Amino acid sequence: MKITIKKDILLKSLLSVSKAISTKNLIPALAGVKFDLTKEGLTLTASDNDITIQTTIINSDNAMNIEEEGSIIIPGWNLIEYIKLVKDETIDIEVFDERKVIIRTNKGELMINGINNKEYPAINIKTQDNPIIIDSKEFKTLINQTSFATSLDESRPQLTGINFKIVGNELECNATDSYRLARKIITLNSTYAESYNTIIKGKNIQEFVKILDDDDIEMSIFTNKVIFKTGNLLFQTSVINGAYPSTANLIPKEFKLKVTVDKDEFLSVLARVNVIAQEKEKNLVSLEIKDNELEMKSSNLDIGGNNKEVMDIEKDTKENIDISFSSKYMMEALKTFTGDKITLNFVEEYSPIIIKDEKEDNLVQLVLPIRTY
């Protein structure tokens, strides 16, 4: 293998696949990036067995000059860190004696041992003939508005993922850690005959979002994996086995009280009350609504502190309520909304708080109250 390639183009592609470079080194080849050079271009592959990322740099006069085709596995992070520091516009990469790799610049060279490409695990990253098409910007928003609510507790693996459900032309995503729920529904541009219900690890899908460009996404859902294709990049992730808990009945259909507040003001009040809220008590704050005022309070016995804030509100009934919840969970939920006004919907003090934006009806956030006795 021998190639001259633009440094910036190679580095961008390496950084894209780097999210999948294995750090556990159970299989030495997975600590590297697999280079496959043909006359069509250079394909880079990285995998940690949970996610696989592959991207192809198409051969063109502007990107590269191919002198000899071939394949090699190059230690990933050593290569990336070196190329980051290179100042030249182009670099030369040459393989000789089957596994010796030389990376040349105008004034220097790096020699490193590669790994034979045959030692790389077989990877089937073929997409479906009729994938689900999703706008990339809409997909980024979808994930950002839901993934934060996934659980970090591996003892309940299903809750560490986002549940994707596709029926007809609707894609519904749910994420919950059993203390809160984020739900977003988007309408797809096409209607699909087959329905899907799968769970993708939240951390995996967040990594995919980080490397997304503006190209549309093609989503192929299989029994044991999901493949996303965007531009010249393929992202494959394993799915979480098992059934996702039913969330259909968690959101009440009728409410005793609906309160409308300015989102930024409410967030500001909540942030100030949160200053002394005790982390060991899940940042507990209490909220009392009476007449047309909202009063929020927190306390901290360790420092002998109390905090109280009041703000004006609009409400749809004369009902009042006194409820406690995690300020951390509430703030994270509020930050997903893009509108100026949000509504807090209540049934009773021990029922879920439902947060909505009337201008964005396809997004719902749920925060469970905390019993104080």
Side-chain angles (χ1 to χ4, degrees):
M1 186 182 98
K2 189 174 181 181
I3 183 176
T4 299
I5 187 167
K6 281 197 170 181
K7 173 244 178 165
D8 289 345
I9 292 175
L10 176 60
L11 181 59
K12 180 182 178 182
S13 295
L14 282 169
L15 290 173
S16 292
V17 302
S18 69
K19 309 292 184 184
I21 295 174
S22 175
T23 56
K24 296 179 181 178
N25 293 330
L26 296 177
I27 302 175
L30 295 184
V33 175
K34 185 168 178 272
F35 281 60
D36 290 301
L37 181 63
T38 67
K39 62 183 180 180
E40 283 77 28
L42 175 64
T43 298
L44 306 177
T45 305
S47 179
D48 63 4
N49 281 330
D50 189 26
I51 63 172
T52 299
I53 307 176
Q54 187 175 89
T55 187
T56 300
I57 306 169
I58 303 299
N59 184 14
S60 72
D61 293 337
N62 295 327
M64 66 184 74
N65 179 38
I66 299 170
E67 294 189 40
E68 185 180 343
E69 299 177 35
S71 297
I72 192 72
I73 303 163
I74 304 177
W77 288 112
N78 302 97
L79 176 65
I80 290 169
E81 290 305 313
Y82 179 74
I83 292 179
K84 279 181 181 178
L85 298 170
V86 169
K87 303 297 182 184
D88 300 5
E89 286 189 6
T90 62
I91 59 172
D92 299 325
I93 302 176
E94 182 179 2
V95 179
F96 65 97
D97 290 343
E98 293 187 350
R99 60 190 296 265
K100 294 288 185 182
V101 181
I102 293 182
I103 302 166
R104 295 188 181 92
T105 63
N106 284 335
K107 295 185 178 181
E109 67 178 35
L110 168 68
M111 182 179 290
I112 192 169
N113 285 335
I115 300 174
N116 190 294
N117 69 299
K118 293 179 182 178
E119 296 187 32
Y120 209 79
I123 292 173
N124 177 14
I125 199 164
K126 181 174 171 47
T127 59
Q128 291 172 328
D129 294 331
N130 185 33
I132 295 138
I133 309 299
I134 310 171
D135 177 82
S136 63
K137 291 182 180 178
E138 193 169 22
F139 186 81
K140 283 181 185 179
T141 302
L142 170 71
I143 300 306
N144 290 335
Q145 289 178 323
T146 54
S147 62
F148 72 94
T150 56
S151 175
L152 301 176
D153 184 0
E154 295 290 344
S155 67
R156 301 183 67 186
Q158 287 82 11
L159 299 190
T160 66
I162 301 176
N163 181 214
F164 284 75
K165 291 195 289 189
I166 297 171
V167 179
N169 67 339
E170 276 195 350
L171 166 58
E172 177 182 319
C173 281
N174 287 283
T176 181
D177 59 5
S178 77
Y179 299 105
R180 53 190 170 170
L181 168 71
R183 172 177 295 168
K184 177 74 179 278
I185 300 172
I186 63 173
T187 302
L188 304 170
N189 290 330
S190 300
T191 299
Y192 297 90
E194 187 172 353
S195 298
Y196 299 93
N197 190 338
T198 192
I199 311 169
I200 304 175
K201 284 185 182 178
K203 65 178 183 179
N204 290 2
I205 206 74
Q206 287 169 333
E207 292 297 342
F208 174 57
V209 165
K210 290 176 185 176
I211 57 177
L212 261 179
D213 286 327
D214 293 333
D215 294 312
D216 281 349
I217 298 165
E218 299 177 12
M219 182 179 182
S220 298
I221 301 175
F222 301 91
T223 303
N224 62 345
K225 65 184 180 182
V226 174
I227 299 173
F228 297 97
K229 183 179 186 299
T230 176
N232 294 322
L233 184 137
L234 290 162
F235 184 101
Q236 176 178 287
T237 173
S238 58
V239 299
I240 299 173
N241 294 325
Y244 199 77
S246 176
T247 60
N249 298 321
L250 292 179
I251 300 173
K253 296 188 171 46
E254 295 183 359
F255 301 97
K256 182 172 73 173
L257 173 64
K258 181 172 78 173
V259 174
T260 303
V261 297
D262 179 89
K263 183 189 70 177
D264 290 341
E265 183 185 359
F266 187 63
L267 265 170
S268 181
V269 167
L270 194 52
R272 291 195 293 274
V273 172
N274 185 58
V275 167
I276 68 165
Q278 290 180 290
E279 187 175 346
K280 65 182 180 182
E281 299 294 340
K282 298 180 180 177
N283 301 81
L284 178 69
V285 301
S286 64
L287 180 149
E288 184 177 3
I289 293 170
K290 50 187 178 183
D291 301 326
N292 288 315
E293 274 192 347
L294 178 153
E295 181 181 282
M296 218 177 313
K297 294 185 291 186
S298 67
S299 62
N300 190 320
L301 297 177
D302 293 339
I303 62 173
N306 292 283
N307 200 346
K308 182 176 79 171
E309 293 275 344
V310 177
M311 66 178 287
D312 295 330
I313 58 168
E314 301 172 22
K315 63 179 190 174
D316 66 336
T317 68
K318 293 182 179 181
E319 296 284 348
N320 297 320
I321 198 163
D322 193 343
I323 197 166
S324 299
F325 54 85
S326 162
S327 58
K328 176 181 180 292
Y329 290 170
M330 180 63 76
M331 286 192 287
E332 288 178 342
L334 290 169
K335 289 175 182 176
T336 65
F337 292 96
T338 57
D340 297 328
K341 299 275 189 179
I342 56 104
T343 60
L344 304 171
N345 301 273
F346 303 95
V347 177
E348 55 188 8
E349 61 180 317
Y350 296 125
S351 295
I353 305 166
I354 306 300
I355 308 110
K356 291 185 178 183
D357 177 346
E358 291 182 347
K359 294 182 180 179
E360 195 174 5
D361 195 45
N362 59 349
L363 174 64
V364 177
Q365 300 289 356
L366 177 154
V367 176
L368 285 179
I370 298 173
R371 291 181 181 267
T372 56
Y373 61 87

